[in-house]
Amino acid sequence: MNQSVQQLTSLDKIVDPISEPIHRGFKTYNAKFDPLTDKIVTGNEQYAPTYWVATAGTPPDDDGPLPGDTEADIVIIGGGFTGLSTALTLAEQFGTAPLVLEANRSAWGCTSRNGGQGQNASGRLYRSQWIEKWGLDIAKRLDAEIREGFDYFKHLVTGIECDAQDGGHLYIAHRAKKLAFLENEGKVMKDVFGYNTRMLSREQLHEEFVGDQEAAGALLEPDGIGVHPLKLAFGYLKRARAAGAKVHTSSPVLDWETRNGIHYLRTPHGTVKAKRVAVATGGYTPNGLHPSLSGKIMPILSNSIVTRPLTAAELKEAGLHSTTFITDTRTLRHYYRLLPDGSVQCGSRSALTGADANNPVHLERLKEGLYRKFPSLRGIPIAYSWWGWVDVSHDMMPRIVQPNPDETIYYAIGYGGNGRTSSCRTSNGHSTPTI
């Protein structure tokens, strides 16, 4: 068993943020955290042992734990992609000074555990499904909003060193019967929404992109950028703070009370009195944080692995000659890509509960999924293995809203695994100027 897997499977200590003061240093990473059973993210934990953490370099400075009682016009709960990009945009474009409260370290949750696929997408539904569910007019308006978010994402990526790989996105038909579905989706995207999509036969896919042995063919979308998610988040953090935002780590919200329209957010070392609150906790939203969030998402676990860097001969044998990132058509999708250093990253389903997260069966299932696609990788060491929570809504679409116009509370959740660009809609869409 490799060192990263050994580390993951041995970590099962659950700690109390109050009984172990923050100034003693970072706590052991709790590999079994479950938002359905744990009231709060424990606070001040180390990062999960991901490839991204190992290769992102030294985290930039933040503002440390909240030092005592304070006031703020806008408080953002959550210091991942959504929280940091919202803080960045509020500070840079609207001249505000938002205050971010992060329970652990910056980008500790979904942001440092995902696959780094920046798609021109939102939630888990396809554009043809938007039309079927909500009609053509709403589908076109939704597409326009998502394009705006993706354009803003591209703008941010251009200004931050994050190992960007601009090559579009491949939907792989993992069975021949899925080709008709992809052909229809490609036609809808091209004829209705104006995207320059292209269908690829199995032979074209293998010749131009990747020798996936399960693939019957693929749909190529021209819009898509693979990134190093933690490097990108660290760039957000530096820019947000430079523009006037405060980012307080090791500051979990232990209690939230609203009196006369003012919010009082209690952390282990002080309370913030806030006029407005935006919740950006995604799949790590604990039960009981606020009534408006109750029952809004189903958190599900996703596993991810990264091989050691492959040699040129190993890459050639596997048929890995493109860094375009990939998703297959399974209900429980595999997502995978070739990273800049020659490693291969792959992710998919995991355990149902945090208590079962480090059961070796989930890692073995994911490895077998990778080997079915690339048989020659069997025996190549897995250098990193981790998991994290994804926020899925009841209709597979995100919510970026002010749920009650009489309350100055806003939230962005339900990304369903498309958080890199969905989060940019919070920071560049219509909701931010009203916060």
Side-chain angles (χ1 to χ4, degrees), residues 76-147:
I76 300 165
I77 304 175
F81 275 143
T82 298
L84 292 175
S85 62
T86 300
L88 181 158
T89 306
L90 286 168
E92 285 189 345
Q93 297 188 15
F94 298 95
T96 66
L99 186 151
V100 178
L101 296 175
E102 164 57 45
N104 295 290
R105 307 181 73 176
S106 296
W108 174 89
C110 303
T111 298
S112 58
R113 310 185 196 206
N114 63 81
Q117 296 189 359
Q119 294 180 231
N120 181 28
S122 184
R124 296 179 67 84
L125 298 185
Y126 299 90
R127 282 166 173 79
S128 61
Q129 293 172 306
W130 302 351
I131 297 172
E132 181 181 349
K133 288 176 70 71
W134 301 300
L136 182 58
D137 179 63
I138 289 177
K140 285 188 173 182
R141 289 162 56 193
L142 179 56
D143 177 71
E145 188 173 341
I146 290 167
R147 285 195 199 208

Side-chain angles (χ1 to χ4, degrees), residues 13 37 55 57 78 145-146 148 151 175 180 206 216 300 304 309 331:
K13 180 186 177 186
T37 57
T55 58
E145 188 173 341
I146 290 167
E148 181 186 9
D151 286 344
R175 294 179 180 175
H206 285 192
I300 62 171
S304 196
T331 301

Side-chain angles (χ1 to χ4, degrees), residues 242-258:
K246 296 288 187 182
V247 180
H248 290 290
T249 53
S250 302
S251 300
V253 175
L254 306 178
D255 183 65
W256 179 347
E257 184 180 0
T258 303

Side-chain angles (χ1 to χ4, degrees), residues 73-74 76 81-96 98 145 148 152 276-278 280 400-402 410-412 415 422-435:
D73 185 29
I74 302 169
I76 300 165
F81 275 143
T82 298
L84 292 175
S85 62
T86 300
L88 181 158
T89 306
L90 286 168
E92 285 189 345
Q93 297 188 15
F94 298 95
T96 66
E145 188 173 341
E148 181 186 9
Y152 187 56
R276 287 165 282 190
V277 177
I400 304 173
V401 296
Q402 179 184 13
Y410 309 79
Y411 62 71
Y415 296 155
S422 291
S423 63
C424 288
R425 294 175 59 215
T426 9
S427 36
N428 201 41
H430 300 296
S431 43
T432 292
T434 65
I435 285 180

